[in-house]
Structures are given as structure tokens and as C-alpha cells.
Amino acid sequence: MKILLIGPQGSGKSTQGKLLAEYLKIPYISTGDIFRQIAQTDARIKQILDAGELVDDETTIKLINDRLTQADGFILDGFPRNLEQAEAINLNFDKVIYLNIPDEVVLKRLLKRGRTDDTEGSIKTRLDLYRAKTQPLLDYYKEQGVLVEVSGEADVRSVQDEIKKFI
Ligand code: AMP
């Protein structure tokens, strides 16, 4: 089973992804987590993350090719982030789960989370990039017939129950 979680920052992708991974007994893989780890020893990547920008497609695609194309089941959070990435590596998702959530809830959640890249500037950059680059993927996966939409606003357990209905 190959599942992609898609949604703006703060929509609960990581919380929901980890729960679902446990339930389905497949790994949860977050490109953001991988890049945060790389950033500890790579100043270029750290600067990109701190600014809320996207890592270049070449680096990102290489990372996915190295770590993911052999795996036969996973929950993926963070890749693809744009159409170019989606077209570069076809991961053949069985389901793409879109966690939909209003902007004001996103902001409230992120300010509570307090990750080092959760400054006001980088939050705004990431939201703008999400709208411009990642949102077009929703139509792309809808056309492929694998997109399902879940509201990410309710409590963790209710959202998880909604997701499971589609699995
Ligand atoms: P996330 O934890 O998904 O919010 O990702 C944190 C940061 O990692 C993002 O702001 C990007 O700088 C970087 N990142 C994660 N996934 C990707 C990707 N697929 N393409 C480019 N940059 C990424």
C-alpha cells in the first residue's frame, strides 16, 4: 500500500501519518524530517529550510530515488511537492489523502508547534509555496482517481477514523 498525505503545513499530516503507519504496519516517511536531519550537517540545506523555501528538485529527487523506489509500501509526507517532482518519479500511489484545513487554524497550530523553522516569515513563505506549487497536485491526483479529501479540523482521533474509512 502506497499512500501520500497532502495538505498545508499544520494540517496534521505527520500526526495522522504516524498513526496510520502504525495501523497498517508500513513505514511513515517524511521528506521534511529527512531534510531536517541533513540540515544538521549541511549549511546549504539548513539555510533553505530556515527560510521556508523548497529544496531544489534535483537534490530532492535524488533523495527519493535513493531511499524510496525500492520500498513496496509506505506512507509518504512531503513528496512530491510540485508537478515537476510528481512527473519525475511516478510512485504509483494507491491513495492520496488530502487533509483540508482553513488558514486560520493552520496559523494557530503552527504557532503552538514552535519548530525552529516556524517563524512568521518562513510560515508565510511555506503557505505561499504550498498554494502555488503543491495545490496543483490535487487536480493531478484527482484525474488519476486516487484523491480523497478529509477535513483536518477535528480532533486527532476523529480525523484518523475518517482517513481509515478510505483505506
Ligand atoms: P515539511 O516538514 O514537509 O514542512 O518540510 C520541511 C522543509 O523541508 C520544507 O519547508 C522544505 O524546505 C523541505 N522539503 C520537504 N520536502 C520537500 C520536497 N519534496 N521538495 C523540496 N523541499 C522539501
Side-chain angles (χ1 to χ4, degrees):
M1 185 75 125
K2 294 177 179 179
I3 295 172
L4 170 65
L5 285 169
I6 200 164
Q9 48 182 331
S11 58
K13 296 188 297 294
S14 132
T15 306
Q16 296 298 335
K18 285 172 191 161
L19 285 171
L20 193 62
E22 221 168 89
Y23 173 71
L24 294 173
K25 300 189 169 48
I26 50 178
Y28 163 79
I29 299 165
S30 151
T31 51
D33 284 350
I34 297 171
F35 278 132
R36 273 186 287 281
Q37 210 181 347
I38 294 173
Q40 292 180 7
T41 54
D42 184 327
R44 182 181 78 95
I45 299 290
K46 181 173 175 9
Q47 199 201 341
I48 294 171
L49 261 65
D50 285 350
E53 305 280 354
L54 292 180
V55 178
D56 61 283
D57 285 345
E58 197 190 330
T59 305
T60 306
I61 287 162
K62 184 173 181 315
L63 179 124
I64 294 292
N65 267 326
D66 287 350
R67 303 206 186 196
L68 218 84
T69 39
Q70 313 301 331
D72 53 352
F74 49 77
I75 314 252
L76 190 54
D77 169 2
F79 181 94
R81 206 71 156 216
N82 57 36
L83 279 169
E84 291 76 12
Q85 292 182 1
E87 280 163 358
I89 306 179
N90 183 8
L91 288 168
N92 278 316
F93 295 112
D94 297 292
K95 283 270 180 293
V96 174
I97 297 164
Y98 167 38
L99 281 176
N100 190 3
I101 188 163
D103 279 3
E104 60 271 20
V105 183
V106 161
L107 283 173
K108 232 200 278 175
R109 284 190 186 176
L110 289 180
L111 292 172
K112 261 200 223 157
R113 186 170 73 174
R115 219 167 65 186
T116 57
D117 61 344
D118 285 341
T119 61
E120 227 177 291
S122 93
I123 289 173
K124 188 177 178 307
T125 302
R126 280 185 282 146
L127 268 181
D128 289 348
L129 279 172
Y130 171 76
R131 286 201 197 90
K133 302 282 180 189
T134 309
Q135 219 150 253
L137 287 171
L138 297 176
D139 280 338
Y140 178 83
Y141 289 119
K142 200 182 216 169
E143 273 166 32
Q144 294 186 6
V146 290
L147 188 79
V148 296
E149 180 172 341
V150 171
S151 165
E153 257 193 283
D155 59 283
V156 171
R157 193 110 162 242
S158 315
V159 175
Q160 182 70 196
D161 288 345
E162 281 303 303
I163 291 175
K164 283 181 185 163
K165 285 184 192 165
F166 292 106
I167 303 298

